Structures are given as structure tokens and as C-alpha cells.
Amino acid sequence: MSMYVLMRILESAPGRYDKGLRVLTFGRLESAYDRLVSHVEQGQRVLDLGCGTGALALRSAARGARVKGIDVNSQMLEIARQKAEDAGLVDTVDFCEMGVAELDNEEADFYDVVMSGLCFSELTADELTYALEQAMRIVKPGGLLLLADEVVPGSFGKRLLKGLIRLPLAIVAYVWTQTTTHAVSDLPQKVEGVGFVLKSIRLTNLGSFMELVARKPVEDGE
Amino acid sequence: MSFLGYALVSIVGTLLRLVPWSSQTGLLEIGRPDRDSPVLLTCNFRLTVERVRRALRGVDAYLLVANSRGINVWCAATGGLLTNHDVLSVLKTSGIEDRVDHRQVILPQLAATGVEGRVLERKSGWKVVWGPVYADDIPLFLDTQLKKGAGMRQVRFPWTERLEMAASWAFPISVVLALITAVFWRHALVSAICVVWVLALVLYMSFPLYGRWLGSGFRGGAVLLAVFAVLWVAAMLVLASYAFALGYAPWGEIGRWGVLTFAVLGVMLIDLMGSTPLYKSGLHEDRILKVVLDEGKCRGVGYCEDVCPRDCYEVNRAQHSAAMPRAHQCVQCGACIVQCPFDALQFQSPRGETITPETIRKFKLNLMGKRVER
């Protein structure tokens, strides 16, 4: 799934983002999000980092969770709000224009689930560390961290193959939007580094897209 | 960075100026800063970062590099790629809050089109100061207790910058042309590239001759068309006389050169205005907008004057009022509208429609100069 670099083009036209991403990923992103959200239960408090047009946030709300979705792109949020209204979920989902740097305003041990889809690959190195540390702080003991993102494959052969597939796509996206994405390297290690315990990791065949589930230990040494 | 390294970054950065080039974001130490040293911020366009560092030699300060996706400050801020979120993020995640005792950050003035100073102050607790447009003015700005004269607020287009713009257009056009001629017209490859560079240099170096007549309306377009015609005819005359001097005039060859110079000039002229800091891009819809001031709302606090890169404003601090005596110089960057704390400014189209400050803050311009609203 090297296609994610093309989402940059879609982001420049938020109205086409959802449809475009679905076409680009042949629906695989949809099923990845469905699997991730299956960990969310009714009545839980959920935070979606970099919610974009609300793919993960709205799925969680549909499962009966109380959701807060944050993103820095006001145009994407407008679409997310419209979708919430259309789905009759305005009472349980709240979209805020806010970046991960503002997570220090959130209460400690507050959320049952902190999730993020295709957001970490857009953060700077400092932001990524900060976001993970804050996620660890604001999620309840025993709560979950759910991530789905573009990652750097582990083996050299796969990195090379992915690079070759990605290059022409990256050039198109770059020419169009002058931006690109940065696949995350060592995501599991980084997640463990801030204190989460890994529960499961699912990788695509090429090893370039990761679904990760981790838990915050109830007490030290779990 | 050594002089050689700096020269290399400058050359590559200039030739590829139209393409983004990211550098590492985060905190940089300049000299030997302490807990009271000034905190400056810039974008993460590599060329800019190196130039700011060079301009700050001899100063002790912290330099924050915000994530502008490898794009220069003005374009990134206007296009929504350098926002209050990116600035807030680097303030919070770079560790600067543990390094200094004060909370004052100096932002590049041209970031005012996209970074809402008041939102940033409210969210971060940092006081925002709009610094000079050019990094070279920063040491003087710091020495004079952050006083910024009109000279430090205005964009300029001196010959050095015109030379850079000529190179940054000539290089990518040469590359494309080299690829095309290598296949279809091999013996003309070197000459074609020379023609591109000469045309680019003539176009930008002669800018003072025609630059002042450019503008937003019909006249600007007519002037560009005239420049185009003059340069193209001149190029054709040179070619024809060269052929005549050789005593040999293959019409097919001259025709091909005609098409080539026509295309090259067309590409370079189509957005000439957007390649200068003195005009809005001729391709952007915003170029026809006018900034209007609601005197009832204005309290003369002077943010507009502080952030205007074209020195359009005159603020009367005794009477608490602002005026736009030099409105004709406006480049429709929108910085004044974004920063005005009383929403006293807005854009107005020739047909009288208004674009409110809220819209301008929320919906940034995309590459084609459109404000995407769903």
C-alpha cells in the first residue's frame, strides 16, 4: 500500500478525499479501519488523533462510543461534521480543530481508547514522540492505543520493492501538491518506548502498512 | 556550516527553488544562547534555514524550525502549510520551554498571512512579535529593542533576487528542454539551453523597465503581452540576422527556433507576477480583490501596519485610527485581515462581494490560488 503518498493530492481537495482514498487503496483501508474499530466498545471514551474527515471517529461513534476527533485541517473537519450530521451522530462525536501539541490540555487517565489512522506519518519526529507520550498519559490504565499507518518495511528487500513502487506515485503527488508523506520507522519500538504493551501487530504483505494494538498497563510490571 | 557547504546549498536551493526542500524541524542553537536569549522561528525550507543561520552569525539565539513541508515562509503560510498549529507544535515539542525563562517568540513577518498571532498567543502562552521580512535585518532588529522601521517591513526585488528567480526558472525549463531536444533535435541542445538562460536573464534583469506598469487589472496583462511580444520579436530578429550572416537561412530551422522561444517565453511569463514579491500571482483569483477598512471597527492598534509587506498602511496612534494611503501597492496577501483583532478589514471583489476575515483564516489558498470552501 504505497498509495498513501497520493492522499496528499486528495488532501488538497478535501471534498474528494474520502472517495479518492477508497479508490486508491481498493477498499483495503476501509477493512483495516473496521478491524481497528472492532476493539471499541459501547459507552467508551475515544480520542481520534488526526481524524481528517472522521473515518475512525465516526465508526467508533456508530459503535456507541463517545468520541472526540482532533485535526489541524479545518476544511477536513467541516466535512467530518457534515458526515456526523448525516449519520445522526452529532451528540456522541465532537470534532475540534486542534493539533497533537495541544494534548497536554486533556485530562490524565481519561480515555478508554486513543486511536489514529494515517496521521503519525505526517508528524515530525518531535511531534511523534510528544503524541505518544501524551497518549500514554491521557489513556486510562488498561486502555488501548489503536494505530493504522504507513510504515518503513523491516527487511531491505521489501524496503527496496516498496521504494520502487512508491517512487512514481510520490513524484506525481509531489508535483501536484509539493508535499509528501514520511512512513514511520520502528513504530512498535516507539510505542513500547513510552510504556505501552503491544497486543497485536498486523502488516500488509509488503510490510508497508501497519495496524497496531497496544495497551497501557494497569500497574507497573503487567 | 562551512562556506563551501553553504555555497552548495545556495546553488542547489536556487536552481531547484520552485521545488520544496525539507530540512530537519525542531530547535537549533545559534552561538551560545542562555535562558534570556531571543527565540526566533523560521520555516523548514532548507535554503531559508541556512540563510537565517548565516544572517545570525555573531548572535546568541535559539532558532525554531517549524514544519512548513519544505516550502518558504510566505508561500507556506498563504497556502495553509504553515499555520498556528505548526508554530504551536514546535514551541511545545522542541523543548524550548525548558531552555528559556521568557515566553516571547519572533516570527517572520511574512508568516502573518497564515499564522494567527492571537490564536497562537491564547493557546501557547507565548507572546508573538512579528520580526523583519528579511533575515539579514534580524541582528539590527534585535539590537534596537525590536523596533521595526518601514524598511524592515517591506518586500524588495533587487537584482540579486531577480538573478535568483531567473536561475530558478531557467534551470527546470532547461532540464525539460534538454530531455526533449536530446530525442528530437540533438544538435540544437546546447544552443537551446543557452537561449533559455539568456531569455530568463533578460526578462528578470530588465524588470525595472516594465515592472512598475504591471498590476492586477487589464493593464497588467497588456504589459505582460507587450513584454512577451518585444522579447520574442527581438529573439527572432537576432536569430534571423545570425542566419543571414551565415548566408544560409533554412526556414524550417528558423521556424523551430521560433516555436521554441515562443514556448519558453510563454512558460516564464505566464506567472511572472507571481514570481516577484511585488505582485500577487496573475493566476490567482485573489489578485482582483481589494482590502476594505471598516472605520467603525478600527481602533488603530496597528497590527495591519506591522505585518503589511507593501507599506500600505498609516496608523495614527493618537487618534486610534488606520488608513490605507498606499492601497495601490497592495499584493492581496491578506496578512492584515488575518491579524486584525477587531475584524475591521476584509476583502472585497470588484462586484462588491465581501470575503470575511473568518473565511480568510479558515480557508487558505491552494496552489491554483483558489480558496477551497467545500
Side-chain angles (χ1 to χ4, degrees), chain B residues 74-319:
Chain B
W74 211 8
C75 292
T78 311
L81 297 169
L82 177 61
T83 66
N84 64 71
H85 297 290
D86 300 301
V87 175
L88 180 66
S89 176
V90 77
L91 286 172
K92 293 286 259 306
T93 67
S94 66
I96 186 65
E97 297 198 322
D98 302 327
R99 305 287 287 276
V100 291
D101 292 328
H102 67 85
R103 289 289 179 268
Q104 175 173 283
V105 60
I106 299 168
L107 301 185
Q109 183 193 308
L110 295 183
T113 55
V115 177
E116 298 106 313
R118 278 175 316 131
V119 173
L120 188 61
E121 290 185 338
R122 194 186 69 230
K123 284 185 169 180
S124 69
W126 283 69
K127 180 180 181 333
V128 169
V129 175
W130 297 106
V133 166
Y134 293 99
D136 287 337
D137 289 330
I138 295 173
L140 180 62
F141 179 70
L142 294 175
D143 283 347
T144 52
Q145 281 75 49
L146 314 185
K147 286 276 177 301
K148 192 168 66 165
M152 282 192 199
R153 293 195 301 256
Q154 287 183 66
V155 287
R156 301 183 287 266
F157 201 37
W159 71 270
T160 44
E161 215 164 302
R162 297 205 303 276
L163 190 65
E164 285 180 18
M165 283 320 292
S168 57
W169 275 102
F171 182 74
I173 294 176
S174 310
V175 170
V176 173
L177 208 60
L179 291 174
I180 296 172
T181 46
V183 178
F184 298 106
W185 202 16
R186 188 162 296 178
H187 72 270
L189 196 149
V190 176
S191 330
I193 289 171
C194 291
V195 166
V196 170
W197 282 81
V198 168
L199 286 177
L201 286 172
V202 169
L203 184 61
Y204 280 95
M205 287 301 125
S206 64
F207 182 80
L209 298 179
Y210 60 83
R212 76 171 98 165
W213 307 110
L214 293 173
S216 60
F218 171 75
R219 203 187 61 188
V223 170
L224 278 182
L225 214 57
V227 172
F228 180 90
V230 167
L231 282 178
W232 188 65
V233 169
M236 289 315 291
L237 283 177
V238 169
L239 277 169
S241 33
Y242 180 64
F244 185 73
L246 289 177
Y248 149 82
W251 289 110
E253 191 89 336
I254 291 182
R256 267 188 274 181
W257 280 107
V259 172
L260 187 138
T261 45
F262 192 88
V264 167
L265 274 175
V267 170
M268 285 193 287
L269 271 156
I270 199 160
D271 195 23
L272 181 84
M273 296 210 291
S275 303
T276 79
L278 308 181
Y279 296 103
K280 185 82 176 177
S281 164
L283 305 175
H284 286 192
E285 287 171 358
D286 276 20
R287 73 185 189 281
I288 52 173
L289 301 177
K290 193 171 77 176
V291 175
V292 288
L293 170 69
D294 181 342
E295 282 164 15
K297 288 182 178 171
C298 175
R299 298 197 208 160
V301 285
Y303 285 87
C304 47
E305 186 184 45
D306 192 26
V307 299
C308 179
R310 295 288 280 150
D311 197 29
C312 296
Y313 288 93
E314 205 72 66
V315 173
N316 186 330
R317 280 165 218 281
Q319 290 182 4

Side-chain angles (χ1 to χ4, degrees), chain A residues 53-68:
Chain A
T53 57
L56 283 171
L58 293 168
R59 276 180 174 77
S60 306
R63 289 176 69 87
R66 283 165 293 165
V67 187
K68 177 172 178 175

